[in-house]
Amino acid sequence: MTDPVVLREDDPRTTDLLAHGWRVVARSWGAHAVVDGALVERLRALLSASTAAIDELGRQHDDAIAALDEITRGDYPQSAATPHPAIHRAAIASLRVRGVRITGATEGDRVVAMTAMRRLGDAAETEFTAVAPDRRRRGLAVAVKAAAMLAAIDDGAVRLGTGGSALNEASIRMNERCGYALDERWVTLER
């Protein structure tokens, strides 16, 4: 077996590889939001609609961040294009060294939702978002994502990006609510 190849769906090489016996084993997507007044107002409205305690998570939350990742890791549809390595204490420290900020919703000492964003010049890209299984469908993913996006904008980001597996329809809907527009479709191919 050869290594998987990840290409945009509209890349001419995709058609060529499919014609030569390669097959699609996973689909993924990318989405972007351009910062403007309408986006900022949308994000503020989404955040204000939440009653959750949302803030940037510091080192004192590392055990709770790792615990949330542990119980949600199996929920990430993974492929060569959408890996999700374990977020343990050392990984959290590594993320912070790379400038990743983790925004979360807490209940006491427990982190019940989180999203991580990384700055890339004048842009910010989502690393991951997770919500505890017993706290889903309450708007927490939207709220922590909106808060993280607003923090990135406050830090000077003018372009925001995110993406994930096409199998995770809830993530797609959540990101669209936050103002992202799907503008890239990707395929993972294997032979």
Side-chain angles (χ1 to χ4, degrees), residues 7-9 19-20 25 35-37 57 61 67 76 79 110 112-113 123 126-127 130 138 152-153 155 166 175 181:
L7 295 171
R8 281 184 65 133
E9 198 171 63
H20 287 92
V25 296
V35 175
D36 60 17
L57 302 177
H61 297 102
Y76 292 92
S79 72
R110 182 178 178 213
V112 296
T126 302
E127 296 281 318
R138 299 176 187 199
I153 292 166
D155 283 348
N175 282 293

Side-chain angles (χ1 to χ4, degrees), residues 2 10 16 18 31 40 56 66-67 69-71 73 84 89 111 114 123-124 138 154 160 165 173 175 183 187 189:
T2 57
D10 58 357
D16 186 53
L18 290 170
V40 170
E56 183 170 352
D69 183 71
E70 177 68 28
I71 64 171
R73 190 171 322 123
H84 182 75
R89 286 187 68 84
V111 174
M114 63 183 172
R138 299 176 187 199
D154 286 347
L160 304 169
S165 169
R173 287 191 307 274
N175 282 293
D183 56 5
V187 291
L189 303 162

